[in-house]
Amino acid sequence: MQLSIGICILVAVYYWLCNLDLGNLGRALMNPTFIGVLFGLIYGDVVTGTILGASINIMYISVAAVGANMPADDSLAACVAIPIALSSGLDPETAVLLAVPFGILGTFMDNLRRMVNGVWNRKALVYAEKLNFKGITFCNTLGPWAVQVIIRVPIVTAIMIGVSTGTAAIMDVIPTWIMNALSVVGGVLPGFGLVLCATFIGRKHLFPFFIAGFFVMKLSGMPMLVATMFGLILGIIYVQLAFPKTEGEESFDFSELFGKGQGYDGTVTKSDCHRTAWRVILFHRFGNSLEAMYGTGVGHAMTPVLRKLYKNNDEELSAALQRHLLPYISEMSLGNCIMGAALAMEEQIALGEEDITGEDVITLKSSLMGPFAGFGDSILWTTLAPVIRTVFLPFALGGSVVAGLLMEPLIRLGSCIASVFSFDLGYKMGRRSIMALLKGGWMKKLMTGGGVLGMFMLGCMGSSYCKLNVVLEIATDAIDKTYVIQSMLDGIMPGLIPFLLLLGTYRYFSKGGKYLKLIIITLVAALALSFFGIV
């Protein structure tokens, strides 16, 4: 059945709204089950819509945008497949098959808009220098939103019209080897994001822990939560060995952080802290780009509180805005404590504390964002979120509209609450404890231990999320035997090809390689290797 032009445009506009990236809270709109309920209401069959959405959701139950890269775009997959299935009476299995290629296509659309969004970060840095606050806001809101409209709405409208008529179905138009190549690229992009996080940590001597994490996960297949505890223990042991306690060393009482009312006796009030936390939650993804990642959004979110702190010093305010617009990427729920600690340090600088500088703020963020990316993603988005989804999805597959409506919003709301608490704790730690940590050497220990944990977890996730298999087989007529190359490689070392790819990527980034260039090279290589039947 052919969809009307109005429905095709409606689907495209909703897909655009899904991807406005209103932080973790807004991403509830992108969930396939939620999309199924919505289009089920539009078509007057909400139960079928829920079942279709939940069926597609199963494919993406553990998908996490690690390193800010989507391994697959479940929202585009659902937005295309569900309306067509509802209008044509397709069964869930057929709808799932229809969704697969669009989940792959969506990752390229997302990377295209992130590539263009680099322009807005560069403009925001210029506006920060001139203290043009409206300009910074534009660069993280209206500018990126307009880019989203231009990239997503026309393309998705055309896709809906073409696929619904059956004359331009993607399976028939695009050769299999091209779709396979796109799938290969989608399988390695998360690995690139993880390696980029490892590069941001900037501690090359800790990279062996990345390697250890990769092979521990590959050989043991342990749950991510267990791997996190293992990495934490490794971090503690490494710190104990690398920083033996010396006689007379000042100890630090961390219990002070949790006292009632701690942390709100300076310029920043509790209300300021919580407002800034929510601004970070909601705004950090708006201007997401390949160049600055969440830098534009974080700088925009921090602007009001920085204006309050540096209201009498334009030069310091400009410098503070610029350092928070620098490239930044981390998990922003548990990892929001980094921004809280950064705010506390900014407050100390504004008050004239000479032992803390702007460079210290940059170092804090760049050193901790990698560890918290690995820690937060592994705890929340590859462990807890999938577990919660497995509780709700069976009910949604049975047609429960309530389960379809509540599942993802509950996950996202919980992450927002964790994010506010994390920011609050980070601020208290910074406000009350940053000097003691610095003077006692605790900061260096914390950074090192966090680096070990982060590298280990990034390696574990690289083992799980970076996928590349060789499908080439060599038949030998003389002895009537077929050599399966992938089996031979696995016999040498499980995960050898993904590991070598990650290792090469780390070296590439360490030498100053550009992310966009790497994507282009990977796409060309995947097309060639897929054409010749190698991958």
Side-chain angles (χ1 to χ4, degrees), residues 308-362:
K308 178 178 180 179
L309 288 174
Y310 297 104
K311 61 182 178 181
N312 297 320
N313 192 328
D314 287 352
E315 184 178 350
E316 287 292 336
L317 174 57
S318 176
L321 288 171
Q322 290 180 69
R323 59 178 165 261
H324 285 288
L325 286 166
L326 293 175
Y328 181 81
I329 181 171
S330 190
E331 194 280 320
M332 300 301 284
S333 294
L334 299 181
N336 211 11
C337 65
I338 301 172
M339 298 309 304
L343 175 57
M345 295 178 76
E346 293 287 0
E347 185 178 23
Q348 291 294 321
I349 295 171
L351 293 173
E353 177 57 63
E354 296 181 356
D355 290 331
I356 300 179
T357 67
E359 287 298 320
D360 292 327
V361 178
I362 296 173

Side-chain angles (χ1 to χ4, degrees), residues 1-340:
M1 177 180 178
Q2 182 175 351
L3 300 180
S4 68
I5 298 295
I7 288 292
C8 292
I9 295 175
L10 175 65
V11 170
V13 170
Y14 181 77
Y15 176 64
W16 168 67
L17 290 173
C18 282
N19 287 277
L20 284 183
D21 270 358
L22 189 64
N24 283 334
L25 192 60
R27 293 179 72 80
L29 298 175
M30 302 172 67
N31 180 261
T33 306
F34 189 91
I35 293 173
V37 173
L38 178 66
F39 282 105
L41 287 170
I42 293 174
Y43 278 89
D45 192 351
V46 67
V47 172
T48 301
T50 303
I51 294 171
L52 289 169
S55 299
I56 294 172
N57 207 157
I58 291 176
M59 290 193 299
Y60 305 104
I61 189 171
S62 296
V63 166
V66 291
N69 284 301
M70 292 191 302
D73 186 352
D74 53 350
S75 61
L76 182 60
C79 281
V80 174
I82 293 173
I84 292 174
L86 285 169
S87 63
S88 304
L90 301 180
D91 57 52
E93 290 75 16
T94 305
V96 168
L97 291 175
L98 180 62
V100 171
F102 299 103
I104 299 169
L105 175 63
T107 63
F108 291 91
M109 293 173 62
D110 189 63
N111 279 311
L112 177 58
R113 66 101 181 183
R114 291 173 63 210
M115 178 182 68
V116 177
N117 278 347
V119 173
W120 302 117
N121 182 259
R122 294 192 292 273
K123 285 184 175 293
L125 286 167
V126 174
Y127 289 139
E129 186 176 357
K130 299 177 180 179
L131 296 182
N132 184 340
F133 307 116
K134 290 183 179 179
I136 294 174
T137 299
F138 179 86
C139 289
N140 191 53
T141 53
L142 297 180
W145 292 351
V147 170
Q148 293 256 39
V149 170
I150 295 170
I151 290 176
R152 298 188 191 276
V153 174
I155 293 176
V156 175
T157 300
I159 288 172
M160 294 302 300
I161 293 172
V163 176
S164 69
T165 59
T167 59
I170 198 71
M171 301 292 190
D172 297 329
V173 174
I174 300 180
T176 302
W177 65 271
I178 293 181
M179 292 304 302
N180 179 65
L182 296 178
S183 179
V184 168
V185 176
V188 300
L189 274 180
F192 292 168
L194 292 167
V195 172
L196 191 60
C197 285
T199 307
F200 283 157
I201 292 176
R203 297 170 182 264
K204 293 184 179 180
H205 66 284
L206 297 182
F207 190 72
F209 289 101
F210 182 98
I211 299 173
F214 182 93
F215 286 110
V216 165
M217 179 59 69
K218 182 63 68 176
L219 296 175
S220 70
M222 68 175 67
M224 278 291 181
L225 188 57
V226 176
T228 300
M229 297 305 299
F230 190 60
L232 181 62
I233 294 171
L234 278 179
I236 293 173
I237 293 174
Y238 184 86
V239 169
Q240 294 288 339
L241 295 175
F243 303 98
K245 189 171 182 178
T246 59
E247 189 175 347
E249 180 179 337
E250 181 181 355
S251 61
F252 177 72
D253 184 7
F254 284 92
S255 65
E256 293 181 5
L257 298 176
F258 302 96
K260 185 177 180 180
Q262 293 287 338
Y264 299 116
D265 54 1
T267 305
V268 176
T269 65
K270 183 176 182 179
S271 178
D272 292 329
C273 206
H274 287 181
R275 274 201 301 267
T276 305
W278 275 106
R279 284 179 62 88
V280 173
I281 294 168
L282 298 177
F283 293 161
H284 74 274
R285 296 186 64 95
F286 278 8
N288 184 11
S289 68
L290 292 178
E291 293 181 20
M293 302 300 182
Y294 301 153
T296 313
V298 167
H300 172 219
M302 295 287 284
T303 296
V305 73
L306 292 177
R307 291 180 67 181
K308 178 178 180 179
L309 288 174
Y310 297 104
K311 61 182 178 181
N312 297 320
N313 192 328
D314 287 352
E315 184 178 350
E316 287 292 336
L317 174 57
S318 176
L321 288 171
Q322 290 180 69
R323 59 178 165 261
H324 285 288
L325 286 166
L326 293 175
Y328 181 81
I329 181 171
S330 190
E331 194 280 320
M332 300 301 284
S333 294
L334 299 181
N336 211 11
C337 65
I338 301 172
M339 298 309 304

Side-chain angles (χ1 to χ4, degrees), residues 421-432:
F421 176 80
S422 176
F423 188 99
D424 201 40
L425 181 61
Y427 174 77
K428 290 178 181 179
M429 172 176 283
R431 182 73 177 92
R432 289 285 181 181

Side-chain angles (χ1 to χ4, degrees), residues 403-450:
L405 284 173
L406 291 182
M407 178 179 68
E408 202 66 20
L410 284 177
I411 293 172
R412 300 298 173 175
L413 182 60
S415 74
C416 289
I417 294 172
S419 188
V420 173
F421 176 80
S422 176
F423 188 99
D424 201 40
L425 181 61
Y427 174 77
K428 290 178 181 179
M429 172 176 283
R431 182 73 177 92
R432 289 285 181 181
S433 314
I434 202 69
M435 292 307 299
L437 287 169
L438 288 171
K439 291 178 180 178
W442 275 98
M443 182 61 74
K444 191 172 183 179
K445 294 179 182 179
L446 181 63
M447 298 294 189
T448 302

Side-chain angles (χ1 to χ4, degrees), residues 457-517:
M457 293 309 303
L458 290 171
C460 288
M461 297 179 73
S463 175
S464 300
Y465 280 92
C466 185
K467 301 175 182 178
L468 181 61
N469 292 315
V470 176
V471 299
L472 179 66
E473 298 181 358
I474 300 176
T476 305
D477 295 333
I479 57 175
D480 193 24
K481 184 177 181 180
T482 299
Y483 292 96
V484 180
I485 302 301
Q486 185 61 53
S487 298
M488 296 173 64
L489 293 172
D490 289 339
I492 297 171
M493 182 185 295
L496 177 61
I497 298 300
F499 171 70
L500 292 176
L501 178 65
L502 293 177
L503 200 63
T505 303
Y506 181 79
R507 181 172 177 80
Y508 174 79
F509 284 138
S510 298
K511 297 293 184 180
K514 301 298 182 183
Y515 191 81
L516 178 59
K517 183 178 180 181

